[in-house]
Amino acid sequence: MERLTKRSKYGVELVEKYGFTEIENTARVIYRLAAYEDTGLTPEEIMTLIAPDDPLTLEELRDLGAEWVWIKFLEPVYRMESGYYQKAPQFSDADTFYIGYSKPSLVVGNLPYSGYGYIWLAYRRKPEEA
């Protein structure tokens, strides 16, 4: 899901989409809020519908686009710490999960799939115990 807001030291701010006016950006947020309200669910009820914090499978990892995932390191790797990393699909291949940024196109590390499950794990969101 594309975020329309961001949390900052000032509270919550609108994420501006370039090429849109302030009114158009505000309208995007209003339409998203209306779609959410149409569900009739609270945020807590929605969270119960979301998949559990199970680690992603290798197949799910390989199928990801430039998505952010929570990487939990079970062993020290490249002085990296557990946290959110973006997959760099333009570099990733069948053997390696490259992490970096899609814009600008930049790789900051790579994690061999052969180490998945005993050196590192990936989750859609930060697990409760992480």
Side-chain angles (χ1 to χ4, degrees), residues 57-77:
T57 65
L58 281 174
E59 182 178 338
E60 290 171 320
L61 277 173
R62 288 185 173 114
D63 290 343
L64 289 176
E67 296 178 45
W68 290 87
V69 293
W70 178 268
I71 304 279
K72 179 179 180 180
F73 292 101
L74 307 173
E75 299 286 334
V77 176

Side-chain angles (χ1 to χ4, degrees), residues 73 75-83 85 99 108-111:
F73 292 101
E75 299 286 334
V77 176
Y78 310 123
R79 297 186 191 163
M80 297 174 73
E81 295 182 8
S82 295
Y85 292 91
I99 51 179
V108 297
N110 64 73
L111 302 168

Side-chain angles (χ1 to χ4, degrees), residues 1 3-6 15 17-18 23 26 29 49 63-64 75 80 82 87 91 98 113 115 121:
M1 175 188 80
R3 290 231 25 161
L4 301 179
T5 60
K6 64 181 176 183
V15 173
K17 188 163 187 170
Y18 296 104
I23 292 172
T26 303
V29 173
L49 300 174
D63 290 343
L64 289 176
E75 299 286 334
M80 297 174 73
S82 295
K87 181 179 181 184
F91 300 106
Y98 287 89
Y113 287 122
L121 289 169

Side-chain angles (χ1 to χ4, degrees), residues 37-58:
E37 290 179 333
D38 288 346
T39 69
L41 300 172
T42 66
E44 293 78 18
E45 292 168 324
I46 289 174
M47 289 305 291
T48 64
L49 300 174
I50 295 174
D53 289 341
D54 295 333
L56 296 169
T57 65
L58 281 174

Side-chain angles (χ1 to χ4, degrees), residues 18-31:
Y18 296 104
F20 288 86
T21 65
E22 185 176 343
I23 292 172
E24 291 169 324
N25 278 316
T26 303
R28 291 172 57 234
V29 173
I30 292 170
Y31 281 108

